[in-house]
């Protein structure tokens, strides 16, 4: 809306003309002398349309430090939402850092035996052995298919390893505790697994 002050050329009355419809040429009647007048208004410049600002939620480690810029951080169970960071005042979008996947293995006699995702059959090395992880030992009390270690990945990227006996009649112990048929024991880093007379170490890193 524009307002323009004019002088009537006939009666010299001073008039304030309001252009409420953004017209370039507005016709009015002088209230004093009833002369019909035409008032020109310059075209009103259009304001550039501002693009809307998108707001995003991001997930990040819960130990993310507070920024020096004074932004507000609200931590949730699965991550956190940051409000008001950056020059534009919009919510900032961050990509969470991918966690390094842990490695799972057995160690024996200075050698490492990696365990893969899924079921791993552990046994004594031999030409007829069907074990997926074959331990180099001459121990006849260790079966060629002695135990099963099932490895899975949890949502937070950590590994879970569960041991159970696998179709053998020879003894298996974890840190000296005998494993009975049907037992399923979750392993932790540093566990000593004895199969027959052979002891291997479980490593999770």
């Amino acid at each position: 809306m524009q307002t323009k002050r004019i002088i009537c050329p006939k009666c010299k009355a001073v008039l304030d003309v309001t252009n409420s419809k953004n017209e370039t040429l507005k016709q009015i009647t002088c209230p004093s002398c009833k002369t019909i007048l035409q008032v020109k208004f310059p075209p009103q410049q259009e304001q550039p349309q501002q693009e809307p600002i998108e707001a995003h939620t991001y997930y990040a480690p819960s130990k993310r430090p507070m920024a020096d810029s004074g932004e507000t951080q609200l931590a949730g169970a699965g991550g956190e939402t940051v409000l008001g960071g950056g020059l534009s005042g919009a919510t900032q979008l961050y990509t969470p850092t991918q966690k390094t996947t842990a490695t799972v293995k057995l160690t024996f006699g200075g050698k490492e035996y990696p365990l893969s995702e899924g079921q791993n059959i552990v046994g004594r090395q031999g030409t007829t052995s069907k074990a997926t992880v074959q331990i180099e030992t001459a121990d006849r009390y260790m079966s060629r298919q002695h135990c099963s270690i099932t490895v899975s990945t949890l949502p937070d990227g950590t590994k879970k390893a569960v041991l159970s006996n696998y179709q053998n009649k020879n003894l298996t112990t974890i840190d000296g505790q005998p494993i009975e048929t049907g037992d399923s024991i979750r392993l932790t880093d540093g566990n000593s697994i004895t199969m027959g007379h052979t002891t291997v170490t479980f490593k999770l890193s």
Side-chain angles (χ1 to χ4, degrees):
M1 185 172 64
Q2 297 172 288
T3 300
K4 190 173 185 180
R5 178 164 289 183
I6 65 170
I7 299 176
C8 176
K10 187 173 182 180
C11 67
K12 307 301 181 183
V14 178
L15 307 174
D16 287 332
V17 182
T18 300
N19 184 14
S20 59
K21 296 183 180 181
N22 295 328
E23 300 171 295
T24 57
L25 184 64
K26 185 175 180 68
Q27 184 171 293
I28 65 169
T29 300
C30 177
S32 298
C33 63
K34 306 303 180 185
T35 302
I36 298 176
L37 306 173
Q38 288 185 335
V39 183
K40 291 184 178 180
F41 286 88
Q44 188 173 6
Q45 295 182 352
E46 294 184 358
Q47 296 296 325
Q49 185 176 3
Q50 184 175 3
E51 291 294 328
I53 299 174
E54 293 185 357
H56 301 277
T57 299
Y58 81 95
Y59 297 97
S62 59
K63 293 185 180 180
R64 179 180 177 85
M66 296 292 286
D68 294 333
S69 61
E71 63 187 14
T72 301
Q73 297 192 356
L74 303 177
E80 52 189 345
T81 302
V82 171
L83 305 177
L87 297 177
S88 66
T91 299
Q92 302 299 307
L93 176 63
Y94 294 90
T95 302
T97 302
Q98 196 73 20
K99 291 189 176 182
T100 303
T101 303
T103 58
V104 188
K105 59 191 174 185
L106 301 175
T107 61
F108 173 73
K111 293 193 63 174
E112 295 183 348
Y113 299 87
L115 301 176
S116 59
E117 191 86 2
Q119 187 182 43
N120 299 266
I121 306 302
V122 183
R124 172 167 49 90
Q125 186 182 53
T127 55
T128 60
S129 176
K130 296 181 181 179
T132 55
V133 179
Q134 298 189 20
I135 307 298
E136 294 184 16
T137 177
D139 178 14
R140 295 290 178 175
Y141 290 93
M142 180 179 182
S143 302
R144 289 187 176 92
Q145 299 176 67
H146 197 103
C147 70
S148 169
I149 300 178
T150 302
V151 178
S152 58
T153 303
L154 300 178
D156 63 358
T158 59
K159 293 288 188 180
K160 175 183 176 181
V162 177
L163 181 145
S164 60
N165 268 329
Y166 185 84
Q167 301 177 1
N168 89 90
K169 298 179 181 180
N170 295 325
L171 181 66
T172 303
T173 66
I174 298 177
D175 295 336
Q177 180 68 37
I179 305 301
E180 303 293 339
T181 301
D183 287 349
S184 294
I185 308 298
R186 181 171 178 177
L187 299 173
T188 58
D189 183 48
N191 280 150
S192 294
I193 305 169
T194 301
M195 295 170 280
H197 295 158
T198 302
T199 299
V200 302
T201 302
F202 175 77
K203 302 295 290 182
L204 176 62
S205 58

